[in-house]
Amino acid sequence: MRDAFIKLGYFFLVLIVLYGVWSFFFRIMGNNDIDALLRKADIAIQNEDYDQAHRYLKSISRSRLDARNRLRILARAFEIADKTNDFTYLEKESASAVRAFNNREDFKAFQVLALSENNKRKPASQIAKNHLHDLRFKDIRARAILSELFRNEGNPLLAAQEQLTNNTEPAFYLEMAQLLNSPILYFNTSLLYLMNHDTKKAQDLLNNFIYSNEISTTRRAIIAYELGFYDIAFNLLHEQGANQLDSIQAVLLLADLELLRGNQLIALDLYRTALAMDPQFSPIPWLNVALLSQKLLNTSQADTFSMLNEGFNRFPTHTLLVIARLQYMQNQVEAQQQIRAFNQTYPNNSYSYLFWLNHFNPIEHLEVISAKLWNLFNYNPSDAYLTRYMIWFFLGQRNFDDARLVLQRYRGVDESWKKSYEALIFALERNFSDASALLKEEDANWINLYNHAVILIHLHNYTDAINHLINATALYRALDPDDFNQHYFAQIQAQLALAYLSNGNLPMAQSAIQEALRNDPNHKHALELLQTIAKER
């Protein structure tokens, strides 16, 4: 019995030795036909026999294996890892390839990918920081996904790099930005989110790059401006001083920011500086120098037109410049002909069409105007200015269904105004409860407070209506003097008088009427309320 066990042990030992010899010769012989083994690995992968595919790849001798064939093996190793979600073999294979070819960034890219997938983020980050200098390879996952290209003839690396250059998927860059903690990659990711109209995600990344000197001040200020961080953009540029700004873009951006802050004279000087730097760069300084000079320095209409006309000769397709120039033309018949010609040349330009519609009051059937507005909207459903115009157009005809349809189909990024317009439609349909509920959610600016007060009056909630109108009055008084409109202020006061009168407070109603008429002596609503009080007496 004991001899039988010994014989059985010798038998297994012989089998092990034979398997080792067979395996050795299989590897040696197999490497002589690497293409055949890779084809077999491909077939195994296609049949989802990943263990067999691993065996074919491991059977290839690495002795004197060139970089191209190393890359072919790595491509299959990645494909298996991607389908099985097991990156252990890819980690070992990439480490072996890196040891053999330490100067190959693409091999290191695969190694970083495998390490990060195996939750070894510290060594992955270290390799990436120290060795991945080529930005094309910092987008590791995209680089690896292009592994199919490595099987092609010719120059597969060049083809992979060309595809990487055109990759605009923010998630890829965000992953690598987080891995490398790279301000430049965070900046590029934010730009991509902005291009994809995902402003919130772009804003969330701002602190990762906004104070980094690796990115020029101008580029950081521009993206801060585009993301709505006007104070940050202003501080970045203002710290340098207008004389130290590195480009005409920076000067124009600072001019825009000064204009936003109400510093019109400073803005005018900056726009003039931009014109002196390069009159061919942008139409904006031509437009703003002309209009601000007329407003602040009281230049003549002829001089304003001359400035606008010079800008128009350089930028004949810029809509705002075209419209401003037409407004200052003495011959308005000729101006109307020119805007019609412009609209025929650019039939999808909503701004110029609406200017023609409002400024020249052409005799057009409502059906014709409606059809044109729908064509413009279908061309660009993200145009907030056009969308709001169409809503008012349909509300004027009491066409609530089309007004609501336009609101539903709007695809713009800025949706801050939508609820107030939805509330307006409800109110005109005399659904005051739903209108009031929507406006409660809106920001407390003077327009929303006024609209909500009008609705509250219809709901006989005079106390809240009065409070809203008092707050609207305070906010309107605080506006910049250039934005203050006496007619609008009189309308707030007339509505306040109505609320006081409905609530039985005659003295306060009279005071509000007097304030309304002081700002607009011909205000119709205030005069009607005055007559109502006189009759009741």
Side-chain angles (χ1 to χ4, degrees):
M1 187 69 178
R2 182 171 171 275
D3 291 341
F5 279 116
I6 292 173
K7 289 179 180 179
L8 188 62
Y10 280 127
F11 176 73
F12 281 117
L13 181 61
V14 170
L15 282 180
I16 291 170
V17 171
L18 288 174
Y19 175 77
V21 172
W22 172 83
S23 176
F24 172 77
F25 280 104
F26 182 81
R27 288 170 183 264
I28 296 298
M29 296 302 293
N31 196 43
N32 290 332
D33 194 2
I34 187 172
D35 291 335
L37 284 172
L38 290 176
R39 280 196 298 272
K40 290 179 180 179
D42 289 340
I43 293 170
I45 293 170
Q46 188 176 355
N47 294 332
E48 300 183 0
D49 189 352
Y50 301 119
D51 290 337
Q52 182 62 45
H54 270 146
R55 284 193 287 272
Y56 283 126
L57 294 178
K58 290 176 181 177
S59 70
I60 299 171
S61 172
R62 274 42 173 186
S63 177
R64 297 182 181 179
L65 196 64
D66 62 18
R68 178 179 178 274
N69 284 322
R70 286 274 189 178
L71 192 57
R72 294 169 76 193
I73 294 170
L74 280 172
R76 273 76 173 176
F78 166 78
E79 191 173 359
I80 296 168
D82 192 47
K83 290 179 178 178
T84 61
N85 202 31
D86 183 354
F87 288 79
T88 306
Y89 176 65
L90 179 62
E91 182 183 337
K92 294 177 181 177
E93 190 63 51
S94 60
S96 171
V98 167
R99 284 194 296 272
F101 298 91
N102 192 47
N103 63 332
R104 289 293 295 256
E105 288 199 358
D106 47 347
F107 292 175
K108 292 170 187 172
F110 279 115
Q111 187 180 18
V112 171
L113 171 67
L115 287 167
S116 59
E117 290 291 342
N118 289 334
N119 294 318
K120 299 177 182 178
R121 298 192 66 82
K122 188 173 181 180
S125 179
Q126 196 63 39
I127 294 170
K129 281 183 180 178
N130 295 338
H131 301 291
L132 296 188
H133 305 296
D134 190 328
L135 282 177
R136 290 170 302 192
F137 295 120
K138 286 189 177 180
D139 182 359
I140 294 163
R141 183 176 291 278
R143 176 69 170 78
I145 287 171
L146 291 169
S147 58
E148 284 291 323
L149 293 168
F150 302 145
R151 305 181 190 188
N152 299 336
E153 296 299 321
N155 192 336
L157 276 177
L158 181 61
Q161 291 165 8
E162 286 175 357
Q163 285 204 21
L164 270 179
T165 304
N166 298 322
N167 189 336
T168 56
E169 175 55 51
F172 290 132
Y173 291 93
L174 179 59
E175 182 181 358
M176 289 306 104
Q178 291 169 336
L179 178 66
L180 302 173
N181 193 25
S182 165
I184 293 175
L185 288 179
Y186 276 118
F187 176 85
N188 290 336
T189 306
S190 186
L191 277 179
L192 288 173
Y193 277 128
L194 195 58
M195 287 167 55
N196 293 345
H197 306 295
D198 198 339
T199 307
K200 180 64 172 63
K201 286 184 179 177
Q203 290 173 333
D204 290 342
L205 297 177
L206 189 78
N207 288 332
N208 293 295
F209 62 81
I210 197 62
Y211 298 113
S212 170
N213 292 325
E214 294 179 36
I215 307 159
S216 74
T217 301
T218 302
R219 294 180 73 193
R220 285 180 282 142
I222 288 173
I223 196 169
Y225 179 87
E226 293 296 335
L227 293 173
F229 296 102
Y230 302 126
D231 288 341
I232 292 177
F234 179 81
N235 290 335
L236 284 169
L237 295 175
H238 201 259
E239 284 171 5
Q240 287 188 286
N243 296 329
Q244 303 298 319
L245 296 178
D246 57 3
S247 67
I248 190 171
Q249 294 102 315
V251 174
L252 281 174
L253 181 57
L254 185 57
D256 290 344
L257 289 164
E258 292 286 9
L259 202 57
L260 276 175
R261 289 171 162 247
N263 302 326
Q264 296 179 346
L265 276 171
I266 298 175
L268 176 57
D269 285 341
L270 287 166
Y271 286 126
R272 283 175 169 167
T273 301
L275 269 185
M277 291 172 73
D278 185 357
Q280 294 288 123
F281 181 78
S282 168
I284 296 302
W286 289 101
L287 177 69
N288 287 346
V289 167
L291 298 182
L292 287 173
S293 296
Q294 196 276 330
K295 179 180 180 181
L296 301 175
L297 307 178
N298 202 27
T299 56
S300 68
Q301 182 164 334
D303 288 342
T304 303
F305 175 77
S306 176
M307 184 77 175
L308 291 169
N309 198 48
E310 190 176 350
F312 170 77
N313 290 334
R314 297 170 188 266
F315 302 95
T317 62
H318 188 265
T319 306
L320 294 179
L321 195 56
V322 169
I323 289 173
R325 172 180 170 273
L326 293 176
Q327 287 177 305
Y328 280 88
M329 282 184 71
Q330 290 186 345
N331 188 338
Q332 285 297 289
V333 174
E334 184 183 350
Q336 185 171 3
Q337 291 171 349
Q338 289 190 19
I339 193 64
R340 291 190 71 169
F342 186 85
N343 288 336
Q344 288 172 357
T345 306
Y346 303 99
N348 294 319
N349 190 320
S350 61
Y351 201 85
S352 63
Y353 175 76
L354 295 180
F355 168 74
W356 173 73
L357 206 59
N358 293 332
H359 192 72
F360 294 106
N361 299 312
I363 301 173
E364 295 273 8
H365 291 294
L366 289 177
E367 293 82 3
V368 175
I369 296 174
S370 178
K372 176 63 177 178
L373 292 174
W374 275 116
N375 286 338
L376 291 169
F377 180 79
N378 290 332
Y379 176 77
N380 183 14
S382 301
D383 188 335
Y385 177 72
L386 173 65
T387 303
R388 288 194 289 263
Y389 185 95
M390 288 180 70
I391 291 171
W392 283 111
F393 175 80
F394 289 126
L395 290 180
Q397 303 168 59
R398 301 194 68 78
N399 183 349
F400 302 127
D401 290 339
D402 277 357
R404 189 168 274 117
L405 185 62
V406 173
L407 196 60
Q408 290 170 353
R409 291 185 179 178
Y410 170 69
R411 293 292 178 268
V413 177
D414 179 17
E415 297 189 345
S416 59
W417 53 272
K418 284 184 69 175
K419 283 184 180 177
S420 59
Y421 274 71
E422 207 173 337
L424 176 64
I425 296 171
F426 276 129
L428 291 173
E429 291 174 327
R430 305 196 69 77
N431 184 350
F432 299 118
S433 298
D434 286 344
S436 178
L438 278 172
L439 285 173
K440 280 181 182 177
E441 302 173 13
E442 289 294 272
D443 294 334
N445 58 50
W446 78 265
I447 296 176
N448 288 335
L449 288 168
Y450 172 83
N451 289 336
H452 198 184
V454 172
I455 290 166
L456 289 170
I457 290 171
H458 282 284
L459 292 171
H460 308 295
N461 185 350
Y462 305 120
T463 302
D464 286 347
I466 290 167
N467 289 332
H468 278 45
L469 289 164
I470 289 172
N471 290 331
T473 299
L475 290 172
Y476 202 87
R477 285 187 191 278
L479 289 178
D480 187 282
D482 291 330
D483 297 325
F484 190 93
N485 183 298
Q486 288 183 304
H487 176 74
Y488 290 161
F489 186 75
Q491 183 61 30
I492 297 172
Q493 297 307 300
Q495 204 66 37
L496 181 58
L498 175 61
Y500 277 130
L501 196 59
S502 301
N503 206 33
N505 192 335
L506 185 60
M508 292 302 293
Q510 288 176 315
S511 176
I513 291 171
Q514 289 172 3
E515 184 67 12
L517 294 174
R518 189 176 69 80
N519 282 273
D520 183 359
N522 298 315
H523 195 277
K524 184 179 177 181
H525 190 195
L527 291 171
E528 288 173 352
L529 287 171
L530 198 61
Q531 289 175 358
T532 300
I533 292 173
K535 287 178 183 178
E536 289 181 357
R537 287 184 172 181

